[in-house]
Amino acid sequence: MRTETEIREKIKQIETDYNHVLTGSFANIVTNAPRALMQLSATKLLEGLYFSLGENRPEYKFEEEEE
């Protein structure tokens, strides 16, 4: 069992490590497969961590542009 502080630190670490794909433009498998997979991976990791805190994951820059 992890503490809330540990989970929030992990969220900050993932957001820092994946900043280049979370703040960039939306990618799909046809145009940029590696970037699309990194975006999917990062958001799913973050979704799980936010779920464990009982919170909703925020939308990131690339998700805002798609809608």
Side-chain angles (χ1 to χ4, degrees), residues 25-52:
S25 62
F26 179 78
N28 62 42
I29 299 297
V30 175
T31 59
N32 193 345
R35 183 181 184 84
L37 292 172
M38 289 175 73
Q39 287 176 340
L40 181 63
S41 176
T43 55
K44 293 305 170 188
L45 281 170
L46 290 166
E47 201 168 290
L49 291 170
Y50 276 104
F51 177 81
S52 68

Side-chain angles (χ1 to χ4, degrees), residues 2-12 48-50 52-53:
R2 301 285 181 187
T3 65
E4 181 179 346
T5 304
E6 291 173 322
I7 294 170
R8 292 201 186 277
E9 287 174 9
K10 185 66 174 175
I11 288 171
K12 285 182 184 179
L49 291 170
Y50 276 104
S52 68
L53 293 173

